[in-house]
């Protein structure tokens, strides 16, 4: 460890969002470069910093600061230097000289204790004197707060957020109820609050602790896709977290209900517990779906005549179910179309679009992810947007969307949709694809922006994995039997020539898949050991498949059921990175959280970030399009790493360039291999899937079905055939608690 004490000569760089700064500090005749988080430091201030001396490949020796303290200036020259640096608004070099000449070493005491005396200096009015004093006091209070918070292990970034939120009131919050931080400050969860509470000396059976832990356990469940938990399961989870017996929790459940944080309902004779926001999301979603579910009488013969003209002109062939879907779309305000691959969902959507176009209706298309929207655009010839872009997500903060805790994927911190009940979408028909991926939060936001009388057509494969976020929207809507549903089942002649599609339906029906058959697009390579599986997957991705499917190597995706183990994404990505993008002198890299990110790496966004900006540039580097938002599952390539500015630039689909600060790298992970869950809504020219032993709850039919259906031209499975068949036979699905079906049935 090394310590540097000196004056901040210059702030070379500062990221205003997170306080990361590069400082030039003079210590006698020496100049040092300090890097770290300094959100409230000014040029001219005296700093004592401790950290590690590191050698930067470009910028030389730097002190990576781990802790620091602002020191009072030691002499009148230092005081004058500080005041004249611009640290205090309204004081320039000349005025600083006059103030110090008047009060000498007593300058700071005068500013704090007798600020009115500053008016004795030429050029300082009484009002200006009080403003100067206020600034000095605010800086002193803030620094004291930083020191106070850091003694509890709170990072500088978090300390700044806490001070900005509470001001001087933070002292009582920390000492009396630090669990309030988890409610009020984004970035503070129960565990951080619990660590602070332990350092403060709050007892483990404190009412504040049990109440906060109970609510945290419930919010954690939403991260696993649940919108509620049975009371018994909630108490068991909270008991394990808090090390407190479940019988002590009943009264706290009542308290949380009175605070309107929870809603308790009965289901099948037992109590279930919702975070209040998810209960009301489900209830309002059910009501809005009911309002859209209008039925109008149509002249069926007339519709069929028009339909025949369209199919003849467009050379489209429809089976009975597809024709029924068009008739239902014309006669109903709300329609669900579901079916597996090759059953004609796209053809049906296109026909519906042609029909409504002839009626001069305005049509909007959308899907949950950028990849899914791109596929929809290519399949229909009409522009499709992500649902977030359709609803015009914007960065202006709104209080009502603040979430007490961290509910998972769709937290809109400081964001809102411009399109809502007051500013609905201007359309006669809205078609949403890949509905299996839509969670309760997103469908709720969408429905708020749909006028009653607008036709809403929801399309998806109910046998795919459910959404990453909370809820089971498509399945619950179909199970309620409250809305028109057309299930497409016929595999069309062209699709029937694809073993991907034929075998996907066999998997879904639990039938044996012939793995020894010679196939152009569905291959199984038997390998018994993980090392051999990895070796063969590398050969397929690098040497065999790119030419076979006419695609870039980066477009071919390895997908695995699990994160851990020899064939999990964590181990695979390290090996694949070493093989496909090894270190080189001309490649910048950055280590973050145990992962090395290197220019040229394939990466994936692993959480929704609604605020991050992207831009599309032309070949001259000039931005031609801009927007906000990168979403869970988006993949891209690292194009540059700037160690001085602490930034990394990633190029996503459609040439969207996004700049990440090093502090944001926790939002990214390597994506040479991804989990099958993360592949939802995406389609790749070829997919490669390792098939080896794993937990039974994970190795399921709908998981392998989802994986196989992600491939457009070729599926390559490498591993043990018996394990593959065991997955096909395993109908077990991880239990997901969602109540949308019940809310729909309550209303209808």
């Amino acid at each position: 460890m090394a310590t540097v004490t000196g004056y901040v000569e210059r702030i070379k760089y500062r990221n205003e969002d997170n306080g990361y700064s590069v400082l030039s500090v003079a210590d006698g005749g020496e100049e040092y470069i300090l890097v770290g988080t300094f959100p409230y430091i000014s040029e001219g201030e005296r700093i004592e910093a401790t950290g590690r001396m590191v050698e930067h490949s470009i910028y030389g020796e730097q002190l990576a600061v781990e802790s620091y303290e602002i020191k009072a200036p030691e002499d009148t020259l230092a005081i004058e230097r500080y005041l004249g640096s611009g640290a205090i608004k309204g004081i320039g070099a000349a005025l600083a000289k006059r103030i110090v000449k008047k009060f000498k070493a007593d300058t700071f005491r005068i500013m704090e204790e007798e600020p009115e005396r500053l008016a004795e200096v030429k050029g300082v009015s009484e009002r200006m004197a009080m403003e100067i004093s206020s600034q000095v006091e605010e800086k002193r209070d803030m620094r004291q707060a930083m020191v106070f918070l850091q003694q509890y292990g709170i990072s500088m970034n978090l300390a700044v957020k806490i001070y900005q939120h509470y001001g001087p009131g933070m002292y009582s919050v920390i000492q009396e109820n630090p669990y309030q931080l988890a409610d009020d400050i984004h970035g503070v969860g129960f565990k951080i609050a619990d660590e602070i509470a332990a350092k403060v000396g709050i007892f483990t059976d404190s009412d504040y602790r049990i109440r906060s832990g109970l609510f945290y356990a419930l919010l954690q469940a939403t991260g696993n896709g649940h919108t509620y938990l049975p009371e018994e399961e909630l108490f068991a989870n909270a008991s394990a977290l808090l090390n407190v017996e479940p019988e002590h929790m009943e009264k706290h459940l009542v308290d949380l209900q009175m605070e309107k944080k929870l809603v308790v309902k009965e289901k099948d004779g037992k109590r279930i517990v919702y975070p209040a926001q998810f209960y009301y999301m489900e209830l309002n979603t059910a009501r809005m779906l009911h309002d859209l579910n209008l039925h109008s009488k149509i002249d069926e013969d007339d519709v069929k005549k028009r339909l025949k003209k369209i199919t003849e002109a467009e050379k489209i062939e429809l089976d009975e179910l597809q024709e029924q879907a068009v008739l239902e779309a014309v006669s109903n305000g709300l329609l669900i179309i579901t079916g597996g691959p090759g059953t004609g969902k796209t053809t049906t959507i296109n026909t519906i679009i042609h029909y409504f176009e002839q009626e001069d209706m305005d049509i909007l298309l959308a899907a949950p992810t950028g990849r899914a929207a791109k596929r929809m655009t290519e399949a229909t010839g009409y522009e499709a947007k992500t649902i977030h872009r359709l609803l015009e997500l914007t960065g202006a903060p709104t209080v009502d969307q603040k979430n007490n805790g961290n509910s998972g994927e769709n937290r809109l911190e400081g964001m809102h949709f411009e399109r809502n009940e007051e500013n609905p979408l201007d359309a006669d028909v809205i078609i949403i694809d890949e509905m299996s991926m839509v969670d309760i939060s997103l469908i709720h936001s969408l429905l708020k922006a749909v006028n009653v009388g607008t036709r809403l057509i929801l399309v998806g494969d109910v046998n795919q994995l459910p959404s990453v976020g909370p809820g089971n929207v498509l399945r619950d809507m179909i199970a309620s039997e409250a809305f028109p549903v057309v299930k497409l089942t016929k595999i069309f002649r062209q699709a029937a020539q694809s073993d991907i599609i034929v075998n996907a339906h066999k998997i879904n029906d639990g039938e044996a898949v012939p793995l020894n058959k010679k196939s152009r697009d569905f291959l199984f390579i038997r390998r018994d050991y993980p090392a051999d599986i990895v070796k063969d997957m590398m050969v397929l991705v690098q040497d065999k498949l790119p030419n076979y499917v006419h695609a870039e190597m980066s477009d071919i995706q390895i997908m695995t059921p699990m994160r851990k183990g020899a064939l999990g994404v964590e181990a695979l990505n390290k090996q694949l990175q070493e093989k496909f993008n090894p270190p080189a002198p001309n490649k910048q890299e950055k280590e973050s959280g145990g992962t090395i990110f290197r220019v040229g790496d394939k990466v994936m966004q692993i959480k929704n970030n609604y605020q991050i900006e992207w831009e599309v540039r032309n070949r001259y580097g000039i931005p031609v399009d801009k927007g906000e938002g990168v979403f869970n599952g988006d993949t891209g390539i690292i194009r540059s790493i700037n160690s001085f500015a602490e930034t990394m630039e990633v190029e996503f689909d459609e040439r969207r360039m996004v700049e990440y600060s090093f502090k944001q790298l926790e939002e990214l992970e390597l994506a040479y291999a991804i989990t099958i869950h993360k592949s939802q809504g995406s389609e790749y020219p070829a997919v490669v899937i390792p098939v080896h032993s794993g937990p039974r709850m994970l190795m399921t039919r709908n998981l392998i079905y989802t994986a196989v259906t992600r491939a457009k031209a070729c599926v390559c499975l490498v591993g043990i055939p018996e394990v593959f068949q065991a997955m096909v036979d395993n109908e077990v699905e991880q239990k997901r608690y969602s109540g949308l079906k019940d809310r729909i049935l309550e209303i209808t």
Side-chain angles (χ1 to χ4, degrees), residues 561-563 677 694-700 703 727 730 734:
M562 61 202 83
R563 293 198 61 82
H677 280 86
R696 177 173 166 77
M697 283 299 293
L698 200 58
M699 309 292 278
T700 61
L703 192 82
M727 291 182 77
N730 184 8
Q734 197 167 359

Side-chain angles (χ1 to χ4, degrees), residues 559-577:
M559 302 190 314
T560 179
M562 61 202 83
R563 293 198 61 82
K564 303 292 184 182
L567 294 171
V569 290
E570 292 175 8
L572 282 176
N573 273 317
K574 286 182 181 177
Q575 295 177 75
L576 294 166
Q577 182 191 45

Side-chain angles (χ1 to χ4, degrees), residues 583-723:
N586 63 336
K587 286 183 183 174
Q588 285 287 319
E589 58 182 53
K590 166 65 181 173
E591 187 275 335
S592 176
T595 298
I596 293 173
F597 293 103
R598 188 174 295 133
V599 170
D601 276 338
K602 184 177 181 180
V603 292
M604 172 179 278
Q605 178 81 11
I606 58 171
K607 60 173 74 172
N608 286 347
N609 185 329
Y610 301 92
Q611 292 173 300
I612 198 164
E613 295 180 351
W614 54 260
E615 63 182 30
V616 177
R617 301 171 192 152
N618 63 18
R619 59 180 178 161
Y620 303 108
I622 299 169
V624 293
D625 191 16
K626 290 185 177 183
E628 291 178 335
V630 180
F631 304 110
N632 189 1
D634 286 355
T635 57
I637 304 292
I638 298 174
R639 295 304 184 196
S640 67
I641 295 174
N642 186 327
S643 299
F644 184 75
E646 298 262 328
T647 59
M648 187 167 86
E649 195 166 56
V650 178
E651 181 178 357
F652 288 95
D653 289 341
E654 298 171 326
R655 307 199 323 276
R656 291 176 299 147
M657 303 297 292
V658 176
E659 186 176 272
Y660 291 83
S661 73
F662 282 178
K663 300 279 186 185
Q664 294 174 298
L665 296 189
E666 63 182 16
E667 297 184 12
L668 294 169
E669 66 182 19
L670 295 176
Y672 296 101
I674 66 173
T675 61
I676 294 167
H677 280 86
K678 292 288 188 184
S679 72
Q680 288 173 268
S682 297
E683 186 178 71
Y684 308 94
V687 299
V688 181
I689 308 164
V691 183
H692 204 265
S693 56
R696 177 173 166 77
M697 283 299 293
L698 200 58
M699 309 292 278
T700 61
R701 179 184 295 177
N702 70 340
L703 192 82
I704 195 67
Y705 172 78
T706 298
V708 166
T709 55
R710 298 306 89 202
K712 192 173 183 179
C714 189
V715 171
C716 292
L717 300 115
V718 187
I720 302 171
E722 292 79 9
V723 172

